[in-house]
Amino acid sequence: MKILGGLMMLAAAARFGIPAFRNLRTSQRLAESGTQVEGRVVSVFRKVTRNSDSVVSRRTVTLIETIEFTTAEGRIVRGNPVLSDVGHTDRSGTSVVVYFDPAQPESFIAPLDELKVSPLRPVVLLLVAAIFVIWGLSWVFGMLG
């Protein structure tokens, strides 16, 4: 039974850690070597999710921006950033700095501070994943309880 619990912890670590690592690498790559242009936030969608268990009911609001910008070739790109750090800041109608991959303009970021995407969320998720890995391995190899 402990082995199954440990494997479930390792699966949870992969669920949190792999996307967090990819998001961190993508945002770093785009901020360091992406093409910088000015874009505009054309709309913001408020996604509301409700999580409830037998004790606590929570509501989470996530802002999903749609941003439009023009590449050097004149191509108009409209889409959602691959990673967002806006939190609850509604930037509807404002100009934003966009970093995009010229080979794949749909892959872009529009950081809140215009210089880089905050690594806080991916780093926290990586730390959670590391805790799950340690916990899961200790269960699998019988080091806990």
Side-chain angles (χ1 to χ4, degrees):
M1 191 63 153
K2 286 187 178 184
I3 290 177
L4 181 59
L7 293 175
M8 289 175 61
M9 289 292 180
L10 293 173
R15 165 73 174 90
F16 288 112
I18 293 171
F21 180 75
R22 285 183 185 153
N23 287 340
L24 191 58
R25 287 293 306 137
T26 298
S27 65
Q28 287 175 339
R29 179 180 54 82
L30 290 171
E32 291 170 3
S33 61
T35 300
Q36 180 181 335
V37 295
E38 185 175 309
R40 178 166 292 290
V41 179
V42 294
S43 68
V44 174
F45 173 71
R46 294 181 192 279
K47 179 181 176 185
V48 179
T49 55
R50 297 184 193 282
N51 298 330
S52 62
D53 56 30
S54 60
V55 179
V56 179
S57 179
R58 290 181 293 178
R59 186 184 87 158
T60 305
V61 178
T62 306
L63 298 184
I64 301 172
E65 296 179 320
T66 299
I67 297 174
E68 186 175 276
F69 62 93
T70 305
T71 66
E73 296 78 27
R75 178 177 170 204
I76 296 173
V77 178
R78 180 183 277 218
N80 310 108
V82 293
L83 182 65
S84 178
D85 66 347
V86 298
H88 294 285
T89 305
D90 188 341
R91 304 189 295 179
S92 298
T94 62
S95 294
V96 295
V97 173
V98 174
Y99 298 92
F100 70 94
D101 180 350
Q104 191 178 10
E106 300 79 19
S107 180
F108 69 90
I109 58 173
L112 187 60
D113 73 0
E114 299 183 4
L115 300 175
K116 63 180 180 176
V117 170
S118 170
L120 182 62
R121 185 168 190 261
V123 168
V124 167
L125 289 175
L126 285 171
L127 289 173
V128 168
I131 291 168
F132 279 131
V133 166
I134 293 166
W135 198 3
L137 289 175
S138 67
W139 277 20
V140 167
F141 294 110
M143 290 183 253
L144 280 180

